[in-house]
Amino acid sequence: MQLIDQYNRRLNYLRISITDRCNLNCIYCTPRQGFTKLRHKDILTYEEILRLSRIAIKLGVNKIRLTGGEPLVRRGIYEFIPRLVSLPGLEDVSLTTNGIYLKDNLKKLRSSGIKRLNVSLDTLKRKKYQYITGHDGLRQVLDGLSLAKELAFEPIKINVVVMKGINDDEVTDLARLSLVEPYHIRFIEYMPLGASNTVHFSYHVPSSRIKVEVSRPGNLIPVQKSMYDGPAERFRFKGAPGEIGFISPITHKFCHQCNRLRLTASGCLRPCLLSNQEVDIKGPMRAGASEEELSRIFLKTALNKPYAHHVSSLNPIPVTAQMSSIGG
Ligand code: SAM
């Protein structure tokens, strides 16, 4: 049995939010006034995540991304990752982090089996970084990125959420980084997530506009997609060591090729990031469900994956869960 939905999409990619806790408070991700955090006992334990991962792998998942909240704030993460990485049948484990704790932990991450990193960095200006994230941490992130390069993490992707009036004036400078560093700079369209974020749809900048700004330093040459590629359209400036990517979940929906399933920190399966549909799997698991019963929950969730989301600038339906619990 494989995770295949009713539109014949094979879901081989599981994104796991291992905690809803984060050391930053980014304006696009968590409400400034705060939000109710999960109780510790409501967050999946590592043993539970491993059990569900084993089941998912038997059902065809071969790629897992760890995200959050901030995965590197969870105690025990460096002991957990090698256990996950060594699960038979899993081909790729990657991590999305805000990079604050990277520098001091990169060697541990490397030896735990992580090679592919996504680091969120929305600005190169110290004050603006502090405004966006609520923390004066730009230096820490830049130092972490430099060390990641020295330790030959490959690829090192930098996720930039582009927001009108906040950091859209910097996209050319961020793109230029790819001319001197081997980083893949990925410009992501802002998505309205979390009930309180709907008012911010005015942040949204379509990728078509971002692309015009990004093209200023030179022609963007398309790059061939590779095996573990996500939905980014990939480009490179001539001779550049790095790359540019555009991820356009709102204006160029890639739903038709979506191969993702999400496991939230609270133990729910989510077949679509931008839909409120989620299925509790922690409850049945804690109530003693067998592997077969848990497999059935996975299969049914996959089958019911919506064909597409319906969020657009004209239709900003609020997605009520917080990104930190879902994991982005
Ligand atoms: N703490 C980690 C980090 O900062 O990368 C992982 C969690 S974060 C929720 C995962 C990704 O979601 C980040 O790359 C972030 O930029 C993206 N993200 C969060 N809120 C978003 C939004 N409203 N629109 C687009 N991307 C968003």
Side-chain angles (χ1 to χ4, degrees), residues 10-158:
R10 195 175 150 238
L11 312 185
N12 67 328
Y13 181 18
L14 182 65
R15 296 169 69 101
I16 305 177
S17 171
I18 64 162
T19 175
D20 65 335
R21 309 297 202 267
C22 191
N23 48 344
L24 299 184
N25 188 14
C26 300
I27 49 176
Y28 50 79
C29 191
T30 48
R32 272 286 138 99
Q33 69 274 23
F35 65 99
T36 311
K37 296 199 173 64
L38 293 167
R39 294 176 301 180
H40 279 290
K41 68 182 176 74
D42 292 331
I43 296 177
L44 287 177
T45 65
Y46 286 132
E47 290 305 327
E48 289 171 332
I49 296 175
L50 287 168
R51 181 170 184 213
L52 294 176
S53 300
R54 270 188 220 104
I55 293 172
I57 292 165
K58 279 196 189 151
L59 296 172
V61 163
N62 57 11
K63 173 175 166 180
I64 288 182
R65 172 170 298 278
L66 298 176
T67 173
E70 172 52 37
L72 300 189
V73 302
R74 182 158 177 184
R75 206 174 303 152
I77 177 85
Y78 301 104
E79 291 75 42
F80 162 72
I81 294 175
R83 294 180 69 199
L84 182 73
V85 169
S86 65
L87 293 181
L90 192 55
E91 291 168 17
D92 182 58
V93 179
S94 54
L95 176 88
T96 302
T97 170
N98 58 37
I100 294 290
Y101 292 150
L102 258 190
K103 188 167 167 251
D104 296 335
N105 296 296
L106 270 167
K107 290 197 173 125
K108 276 190 278 179
L109 270 181
R110 194 77 168 105
S111 55
S112 72
I114 297 278
K115 300 185 200 88
R116 291 156 28 79
L117 279 180
N118 284 34
V119 179
S120 297
L121 179 63
D122 309 298
T123 175
L124 297 171
K125 295 181 180 162
R126 182 178 164 197
K127 284 269 175 261
K128 200 184 285 183
Y129 184 90
Q130 191 163 8
Y131 172 72
I132 293 174
T133 66
H135 178 74
D136 184 9
L138 178 62
R139 191 69 264 156
Q140 286 163 280
V141 182
L142 294 175
D143 289 350
L145 284 167
S146 299
L147 186 61
K149 182 178 68 172
E150 277 172 40
L151 295 180
F153 281 83
E154 164 69 33
I156 301 166
K157 295 182 180 173
I158 296 183

Side-chain angles (χ1 to χ4, degrees), residues 264-283:
T264 68
S266 60
C268 289
L269 288 174
R270 232 180 139 98
C272 170
L273 175 64
L274 291 175
S275 141
N276 289 319
Q277 187 184 332
E278 51 179 40
V279 179
D280 177 28
I281 194 162
K282 177 185 71 193

Side-chain angles (χ1 to χ4, degrees), residues 4-11 255-258 302-308 310:
I4 296 179
D5 74 5
Q6 56 186 311
Y7 306 101
N8 221 17
R9 291 173 297 194
R10 195 175 150 238
L11 312 185
C255 303
H256 63 287
Q257 60 188 40
C258 183
L303 201 63
N304 289 329
K305 184 176 170 76
Y307 181 66
H310 301 290

